[in-house]
Amino acid sequence: MENKMERIRLKSLQDLVVTPQEAASWIQDGMTLGLSGFTRAGDAKAVPHALVDRTRNIDGFKVNVFTGASLGFETDEKLAEAGIVNKRLPFQVDRTMRGKINEGDLLFVDQHLSHTAEVVRQGVLPKIDFAIVEALAITEDGMIIPTTSVGNSSIFVEHAKNVIVEINTAQPDFEGMHDIYDIGMYGERVPVQMTKPSDRLGTIGIPVDPAKIKGIVFNHHLDSPSPNEGPDAETETMAANLLDFLRNEVREGRLTNELAPLQAGIGSQANAVLYGLLDSEFENLEVYSEVLQDAMFDLIDAGKVNFASCASITISEEKMKTVFENPEPYKDKIMLRPQEISNLPEVIRRMGLIAINTALEFDIYGNVNSTHVTGTKMMNGIGGSGDFARNSRIAIFVTKSVAKGGDISSVVPFVSHVDHTEHDVDVLVTEHGYADLRGLAPRERAPKIIQNCAHPMYREQLMEYFNEACERGGQTPHILEKAFSWHTRLNETGTMLEPELVR
């Protein structure tokens, strides 16, 4: 059996090992915590839970919780239930926390994922009192080796007053697969020297002043598995539509069968759409993305993807059994980076990425809402979709055309909240087809979106709205008093369909 202390290779730190409960006792009311974790991977697991247990009955105890993205192990749920979160950023996916946010019980700052490190570096946010980061080990020269994500861990460690390291003996041996690089302060930084996803910039671990490490905790828990579902009939059709678009780009000479570096957002739909590449003619693919999900590993295993750069690995329980138990085949094919590098606009633009992200809804002119249900209720957050959409070669958004059995149309006259303006959206894809919006004026976009992407049950309603709006005139025709009538009807009747069309 492994001697856990061998994970602490800098011997002077071995005396700092404490229990999660002792580490949690150092956290006081009003503090700000920087927790490792990006989309349920590589998250701090022991100390946050010990903190919940310690403070559950302390009236008025609050902390700010900053992360890379969402946390696994039900951590966000437990933090929200305990009522100890004052402010949370930049992304979350938990149902309980989402409810608390929408009830106004805690504050949520929805940020582009490349921006969090910048505002930490500038000192705009409250000073981080404790960075609590998961690690495989601490090296002889004091570097923290992350596990299955990097996220914002490196910037938190650099700027925190104190650091608590959670060494996880259950996580896979990914040592050597990380690339930690700090772009530096505004006005002092140099161009980031990356032209392809496999370029290495920095160190294999997070540099840290050993004097900042206040404690080291051991745990033995794998990440929470991804809940993503596999493809269904609709997502398979969406994938086929996306492939049709890509094939047309090849025919027009704008791409080859090797495409361009790919990015895909999180979630079942984006993951399922990627599966369409498995049996396609596209090959020798490269990936520059935030999160690697199940589909990406299947593409690597099939020889379709040669290299993938990311900030996090978030996979199902079944996939964990194959990837985590034998990571060696992936060590020369995958690199994990801080999220401000994985999402860096400079690099995204230079490489000319094809970005594939998911929409909640989009309107007839191509504006996309990816965060707010009916305009006010936060779902998860914008995540990295804005970083990629604005800066990619081709910004693609995918979604099913309807939800709730057809009561909700994902194509509406005017989105109820705008995350990605029409200027940042190139292609929209549903199970009914795709709309290539590049070079089209608003009056050209609307008919194409309606005919190619909307569900047939909603096309007539959408065309009626558009035609009436055109009679009013304007560069982007709208009937303001009716623009959100679909959302109003949904709230009042439970469906966006006009009464005479309700089955």
Side-chain angles (χ1 to χ4, degrees), residues 197 242-243 245-246 255-265 273-274 277 280 282-292 296 299 304-310 342 348 351-357 388 392-394 396:
L242 176 57
L243 292 178
F245 164 75
L246 294 173
L255 292 172
T256 70
N257 278 355
E258 295 185 354
L259 299 177
L262 298 170
Q263 177 268 335
V273 165
L274 285 177
L277 291 167
S280 74
F282 301 110
E283 58 187 359
N284 295 322
L285 304 176
E286 293 190 325
V287 173
Y288 193 81
S289 194
E290 303 166 313
V291 181
L292 302 189
M296 200 60 66
L299 288 165
K304 288 285 187 177
V305 168
N306 294 337
F307 195 89
S309 173
C310 64
S342 69
I348 294 167
M351 289 188 188
L353 265 59
I354 299 171
I356 307 166
N357 289 284
F388 290 98
S392 290
R393 172 196 309 237
I394 307 173
I396 302 168

Side-chain angles (χ1 to χ4, degrees), residues 180-418:
I180 311 302
Y181 180 77
D182 185 352
I183 62 177
M185 296 293 292
Y186 282 128
E188 301 174 7
R189 62 185 61 161
V190 297
V192 175
Q193 299 298 314
M194 290 187 68
T195 59
K196 57 185 184 297
S198 57
D199 285 342
R200 179 175 282 280
L201 298 171
T203 59
I204 65 167
I206 300 170
V208 61
D209 177 359
K212 291 175 68 171
I213 298 180
K214 185 172 176 64
I216 299 172
V217 170
F218 284 100
N219 73 62
H220 191 80
H221 296 285
L222 287 175
D223 293 330
S224 298
S226 167
N228 289 338
E229 302 172 357
D232 59 25
E234 290 175 324
T235 55
E236 286 179 350
T237 304
M238 287 165 58
N241 293 334
L242 176 57
L243 292 178
D244 284 345
F245 164 75
L246 294 173
R247 289 182 179 114
N248 187 65
E249 291 297 286
V250 173
R251 285 193 295 270
E252 294 294 330
R254 293 187 283 265
L255 292 172
T256 70
N257 278 355
E258 295 185 354
L259 299 177
L262 298 170
Q263 177 268 335
I266 66 167
S268 298
Q269 291 191 35
N271 185 54
V273 165
L274 285 177
Y275 274 114
L277 291 167
L278 271 173
D279 296 321
S280 74
E281 69 273 29
F282 301 110
E283 58 187 359
N284 295 322
L285 304 176
E286 293 190 325
V287 173
Y288 193 81
S289 194
E290 303 166 313
V291 181
L292 302 189
Q293 300 184 98
D294 284 21
M296 200 60 66
F297 284 90
D298 288 340
L299 288 165
I300 292 172
D301 292 343
K304 288 285 187 177
V305 168
N306 294 337
F307 195 89
S309 173
C310 64
S312 164
I313 292 174
T314 305
I315 51 182
S316 66
E317 186 173 8
E318 180 181 1
K319 188 63 67 177
M320 281 185 187
K321 291 177 181 176
T322 58
V323 174
F324 288 4
E325 291 178 6
N326 183 26
E328 288 300 322
Y330 304 100
K331 286 197 169 182
D332 63 347
K333 297 182 182 300
I334 292 174
M335 195 175 296
L336 291 112
R337 310 180 189 275
Q339 66 196 66
E340 75 167 337
I341 301 298
S342 69
N343 292 42
L344 190 64
E346 172 192 348
V347 173
I348 294 167
R349 180 65 63 90
R350 182 182 298 129
M351 289 188 188
L353 265 59
I354 299 171
I356 307 166
N357 289 284
T358 305
L360 284 179
E361 64 178 1
F362 54 81
D363 65 31
I364 59 175
Y365 298 114
N367 300 293
V368 169
N369 171 18
S370 59
T371 60
H372 286 72
V373 177
T374 61
T376 63
K377 297 179 179 65
M378 171 57 66
M379 178 59 76
N380 301 325
I382 195 169
S385 56
D387 298 320
F388 290 98
R390 171 145 306 181
N391 299 290
S392 290
R393 172 196 309 237
I394 307 173
I396 302 168
F397 282 89
V398 301
T399 189
K400 295 183 179 181
S401 64
V402 292
K404 301 294 184 184
D407 287 332
I408 298 175
S409 174
S410 300
V411 188
V412 293
F414 203 164
V415 287
S416 54
H417 176 90
V418 181

